[in-house]
Amino acid sequence: MVIGSLIYPAIRLLGYQIFVAACLAAALGVLFEACGGKPKPATREVQAWRKLGAWTGHGPISTEPFISDTGTLRLQWETRNEAAPGKGVFQITVYSDVSGRPLVLAVDHRGIGGNTVYVNEDPRPFYLGIESAGVEWSISVDEAIPATATDSVGP
C-alpha cells in the first residue's frame, strides 16, 4: 500500500507537467507566428475582366453573339474621323441573343469621343446592334468575373 500511495501522486504530477508543457508549446507557437513566423498572405475579393469581343468599322452592324456567364459587361468605345464636324452619329444597343429583344441603349453619342459604359443584365448570350453614320468606331466588350487576389507577403 505504501508503494501505491507514492506512485499515484507521482503519476498525477507527471500528468500536470505534460499538460503544462503542451500549453506552453501551443502558446509559444502562437507567439512565434505573431512575432516573426511566416504570416499567411492576405486575400481579398476582386473583379477581373475577360475579353468577350472587339469590333471596328463604320456604318451600322450587328455583332456576332457572345456569351456572358455573369451578365456584368464593360463596353469601351471610341469614335474618330468624323466626316462632317458635329454630324456623326453613334449608338450601341445591347440585345438578348435568346429572344432578340433590345435590353438597353448603352451609348447614344454625337461626334467624336470615347467612354466606358457598364451594363448589368442576367447572364445569357448577347449581341450588339451598332448604328453609326459619319464616324469610324471601335468597341470592345469585357465581362466581369469574380476573383481572389493574394497580397504579397514581405520577406
Side-chain angles (χ1 to χ4, degrees):
M1 287 242 310
V2 174
I3 294 176
S5 63
L6 293 177
I7 292 178
Y8 290 122
I11 291 174
R12 185 178 298 156
L13 180 61
L14 182 61
Y16 288 131
Q17 290 172 339
I18 292 172
F19 176 74
V20 169
C23 289
L24 276 173
L28 285 174
V30 169
L31 184 61
F32 174 74
E33 191 171 312
C35 294
K38 188 173 182 178
K40 293 182 180 178
T43 61
R44 56 191 161 84
E45 296 301 313
V46 296
Q47 192 170 18
W49 295 96
R50 178 176 60 145
K51 183 163 291 296
L52 298 178
W55 302 269
T56 60
H58 59 282
I61 70 159
S62 292
T63 68
E64 65 269 6
F66 52 89
I67 297 174
S68 172
D69 296 324
T70 66
T72 301
L73 304 175
R74 177 177 69 183
L75 286 67
Q76 295 176 302
W77 62 271
E78 178 185 24
T79 57
R80 60 194 169 285
N81 296 333
E82 189 174 23
K87 301 291 182 182
V89 176
F90 183 67
Q91 293 181 328
I92 302 173
T93 303
V94 179
Y95 287 87
S96 166
D97 191 47
V98 175
S99 67
R101 69 184 171 91
L103 300 173
V104 63
L105 176 62
V107 176
D108 186 6
H109 184 76
R110 303 286 182 259
I112 58 174
N115 205 347
T116 301
V117 177
Y118 298 90
V119 174
N120 291 303
E121 284 289 331
D122 291 333
R124 68 180 89 173
F126 297 94
Y127 71 92
L128 302 180
I130 299 172
E131 296 297 325
S132 170
V135 291
E136 293 177 11
W137 51 264
S138 60
I139 181 167
S140 67
V141 178
D142 304 306
E143 170 183 37
I145 54 174
T148 302
T150 303
D151 296 330
S152 62
V153 177

